[in-house]
Amino acid sequence: MVRAMYKLLFIFALLPTSIAAQTVPHPAVFSYDAAFAQCTQDPEAADLVASCREILADAYVLKRAVAHAFEICIPTKLRDCALPFEDAGLPAFGIQIAADVGCDTTDFTLFSEFDPLPAEHCITFTSDILADEGAVPLDNMLNCSAFLNECRELAFLQYRLWNQALLDLQEGNVHGPTIRDLLARQSNSCEKTHANPLDSDHLTAEFADCMSDGTAQIWRDLSLERQG
């Protein structure tokens, strides 16, 4: 498990830097806490993992569209730049609300590519508003090519979120040893069945999906145990 976790940390560190040459913020640098909160509302949900994948994928493509529209708007004032959002299929009221509350317009290239964009930044603020309204961009397909594999990135993003949700259950060390043991077994199982046969040091999207499935199930069981 330790070896796999170090590999995952390395992958998470590289995801944003792989597109550092681009000026538009990559979806990986956004926070997905609000979207993931929907995933953990009901531990008894029958389609817990599948529905979470859909929720996070929707959040991912929306944040991507907002970031691209925002890039086109530079250096135009946000209040006067509705067209790029409308061309992307996003209602202009989102940016109008963001502009009205005076969101942070700091050049996003000044922020670290390793940290999520601040919640008060206009890109983040606008995407949150549009997410609350159920906005869906025209381009809502994921790029799963070898050059920019958004499906793989999303798989590891989901695993990271489920892993953190599980670790959060360790409050007061109630489930500490149990969680560590269960995660170790889950990681060993996923490595055996989903390791890349051509490169043992390269964790696949299938591995991340396997870990998400198992980790979500562990989270569900322990959450229901707490409720009981």
Side-chain angles (χ1 to χ4, degrees), residues 104-142:
D104 181 9
T105 58
T106 302
D107 183 350
F108 47 71
T109 62
L110 299 179
F111 295 109
S112 168
E113 66 263 32
F114 296 104
D115 299 315
L117 289 171
E120 65 273 11
H121 195 279
C122 289
I123 300 178
T124 308
F125 202 87
T126 302
S127 64
D128 287 346
I129 293 172
L130 294 175
D132 288 343
E133 294 298 323
V136 179
L138 293 176
D139 180 9
N140 57 11
M141 300 298 292
L142 293 170

Side-chain angles (χ1 to χ4, degrees), residues 43-64:
E44 294 185 293
D47 57 346
L48 185 68
V49 178
S51 63
C52 189
R53 283 201 185 104
E54 185 175 337
I55 289 170
L56 292 177
D58 289 345
Y60 186 99
V61 295
L62 176 60
K63 293 173 189 293
R64 182 184 64 191

Side-chain angles (χ1 to χ4, degrees), residues 146-222:
F147 177 71
L148 179 60
N149 196 332
E150 293 178 330
C151 293
R152 181 171 181 267
E153 179 173 287
L154 199 56
F156 279 96
L157 170 66
Q158 178 172 252
Y159 166 57
R160 176 172 60 80
L161 291 168
W162 276 118
N163 188 69
Q164 186 57 54
L166 186 56
L167 293 177
D168 287 343
L169 291 180
Q170 293 189 78
E171 284 181 32
N173 203 33
V174 175
H175 291 296
T178 301
I179 286 177
R180 285 196 295 272
D181 292 343
L182 291 173
L183 277 176
R185 271 180 264 170
Q186 183 66 39
S187 180
N188 289 334
S189 173
C190 289
E191 277 196 281
K192 289 178 182 177
T193 56
H194 296 290
N196 187 333
L198 301 179
D199 182 1
S200 60
D201 289 328
H202 182 73
L203 297 178
T204 63
E206 289 76 17
F207 171 85
D209 285 336
C210 177
M211 287 298 294
S212 291
D213 291 350
T215 306
Q217 185 59 53
I218 297 170
W219 175 88
R220 181 213 300 271
D221 292 343
L222 293 179

Side-chain angles (χ1 to χ4, degrees), residues 10-103:
F10 180 70
I11 289 171
F12 292 148
L14 286 181
L15 287 177
T17 56
S18 66
I19 46 75
Q22 299 180 4
T23 57
V24 64
H26 197 245
V29 302
F30 283 85
S31 168
Y32 287 82
D33 291 346
F36 188 69
Q38 300 177 53
C39 300
T40 55
Q41 283 181 344
D42 181 13
E44 294 185 293
D47 57 346
L48 185 68
V49 178
S51 63
C52 189
R53 283 201 185 104
E54 185 175 337
I55 289 170
L56 292 177
D58 289 345
Y60 186 99
V61 295
L62 176 60
K63 293 173 189 293
R64 182 184 64 191
V66 171
H68 278 287
F70 194 92
E71 182 188 32
I72 296 172
C73 285
I74 297 175
T76 306
K77 289 183 179 180
L78 187 60
R79 185 185 302 279
D80 302 325
C81 197
L83 188 58
F85 290 87
E86 292 173 343
D87 287 345
L90 302 175
F93 68 77
I95 64 166
Q96 294 299 328
I97 295 174
D100 288 343
V101 300
C103 58

